[in-house]
Amino acid sequence: MARRTKIYEGKAKTLFEGPEPGTIVQYFKDDATAFNAEKKDVIEGKGVLNNMLSEYFMNGLTAIGVPNHFIKRLNMREQLVRACEIIPLEVIVRNTAAGSMSKRLGIEEGTALPRPIVEYCYKDDSLGDPLVSEEHIAAFGWASQQDMDDILSLALRVNDFMSGVMYGVGIKLVDFKIEIGRVYEGDFQRLIVADEISPDSCRLWDMETGQKLDKDVFRRDLGSLTDAYSEVAKRLGVMPKGATPMKPTLIN
Ligand code: TMP
């Protein structure tokens, strides 16, 4: 079998050259990191869950016409995606105050926001992904004004889609982060949702109990991360009986 060429290794995923030009194989690792990798662990089964969940959300986005990088899932840990130039921004949408916004502005976690708030962070681990304004983005040429209009529209469409899907299974979408990629089609370029959408990159709270079903379980030592992600997968019908190599007791 031909050896695959590694393109990039991130904290939670590794990217390999895909079988066709313009494609990439995205491998989901079990590594979990928080606070810019100050806290690290290996959580058995996390990669499988995020692979399946990201497939589910990206397919849903495709179905409602939100362009994204997903082509197909290859196996339990890998998916084939469209190659794109990642815009160096983390695009965060918040519906409810939590995390760094609560800390920064002194707003109690769980406070409903009057409207979805979109924030941008500059993607640079050595700087700890600092919050930036549209002024920085324009001045440093990270994205054009047209790009910013498209990014805002994509972010709000993903928010509406994800909020609705989660509401349907009794989960509140508190906030999430997406990354956006640029693809070239002939003389045109357009922006698509890239990277992943999973409980690693969202805050998900059970609507009745407020139980956290996302990476805060790891960040804040609140229990088993795979139990939390499995609960999300189970409610969405993404993880059928026996389809996981994790401890069988986690899934019923
Ligand atoms: P924050 O409140 O820590 O800024 O996080 C906002 C959202 O972004 C939350 O859903 C978690 C997600 N997120 C990532 O996906 N990657 C990151 O590196 C950080 C800091 C947050």
Side-chain angles (χ1 to χ4, degrees), residues 90 92 94 98-101 104 119 129 175-177 200-203 219:
E90 301 211 329
I92 295 168
R94 301 178 186 272
S100 69
M101 188 202 206
R104 199 176 338 111
E119 294 175 348
D129 299 336
D175 57 32
F176 66 91
K177 181 267 300 188
D200 266 13
S201 54
C202 301
R203 280 199 175 89
R219 294 190 190 95

Side-chain angles (χ1 to χ4, degrees), residues 205-249:
W205 296 354
D206 180 87
M207 279 186 162
E208 279 189 2
T209 64
Q211 189 192 352
K212 293 184 183 6
L213 299 170
D214 57 62
K215 203 164 108 180
D216 273 347
V217 171
F218 170 72
R219 294 190 190 95
R220 304 180 187 190
D221 295 317
L222 300 175
S224 159
L225 194 71
T226 42
D227 279 359
Y229 289 20
S230 297
E231 177 64 23
V232 176
K234 201 169 65 176
R235 288 195 200 185
L236 293 168
V238 168
M239 192 63 83
K241 279 182 190 167
T244 165
M246 291 176 299
K247 280 179 271 172
T249 48

